[in-house]
Amino acid sequence: MAANSSRAQQVADEIEDELLTSGAPAGARIGLRTELIRRFEVSPSVMNEALRILRDRDLVTVKPGAHGGVFVANPAAQVRLGNLDLWFRQLRLDPKHLFEARVYLEDLFATVALTRATPEDIRAMQWALEEMRAVSGDPRSFLEATMRFHLAIARASRIEVLIGFYESIITVLGATLVRASYASDQHEEMMRHNLEVHANMAAAIRDQDAVALDKILVLHHRDLIWASDPSRSPHVDDE
């Protein structure tokens, strides 16, 4: 039973990965149950369990009848953030809206932290930077470390109510993120640039250099690309 369950989980994960990669819309036909059984070379019971897992994830629906089969239910929402492609599942809000709110808050926090950050706050930023460097080969871990870097800046601002909003945003993003990948094979070079921008941001806050911070925030915004509309980037981010 455990082996069947494990295989069903594997099949479900493979189908989900294909749906994420293809960007298949809601209502798209995946295939007949019998076709999927043959394709994955599993028993009917294993496929039934795999489809149950996918239904629980709200990813597929199974319809009987001559025109039935397995169909996409609610595809994962995708957004491109700099050199990262991100997919979110069971997120009620458009992730683009959450990232847009995140960007505006991060600007405000950095500007206020310029005059309020303590040596302990600067050390927290540096620790987050070190973590970003250490995990730069893993896109999901890099995103999570980057959000911790910005959270350190947020806490340095001492604007408690807005910090609570920001923490809620990054908690929701972290809980609903199902996949992250680099969008190009030049990610190492882009990550080096990204790390340099964030290191310079921490340095500007440390040195209370408002002119330098303004210039860095412009760079920090440059690479955000909204997945649904690449031309829409009035306020952009490079992580």
Side-chain angles (χ1 to χ4, degrees), residues 98-141:
L98 289 176
F99 278 109
E100 187 172 33
R102 207 197 89 178
V103 167
Y104 280 107
L105 285 173
E106 287 170 357
D107 275 5
L108 172 62
F109 290 141
T111 302
V112 176
L114 194 77
T115 58
R116 295 186 179 181
T118 65
E120 290 76 15
D121 293 322
I122 301 300
R123 281 195 289 273
M125 296 175 209
Q126 294 295 337
W127 289 334
L129 278 169
E130 289 303 315
E131 184 180 8
M132 288 169 64
R133 293 188 182 99
V135 301
S136 61
D138 180 334
R140 178 170 188 145
S141 296

Side-chain angles (χ1 to χ4, degrees), residues 12-33:
D13 290 344
E14 288 181 31
I15 293 174
E16 178 177 9
D17 189 63
E18 289 179 4
L19 295 179
L20 295 178
T21 302
S22 67
R29 191 171 185 272
I30 300 170
L32 292 172
R33 174 177 164 276

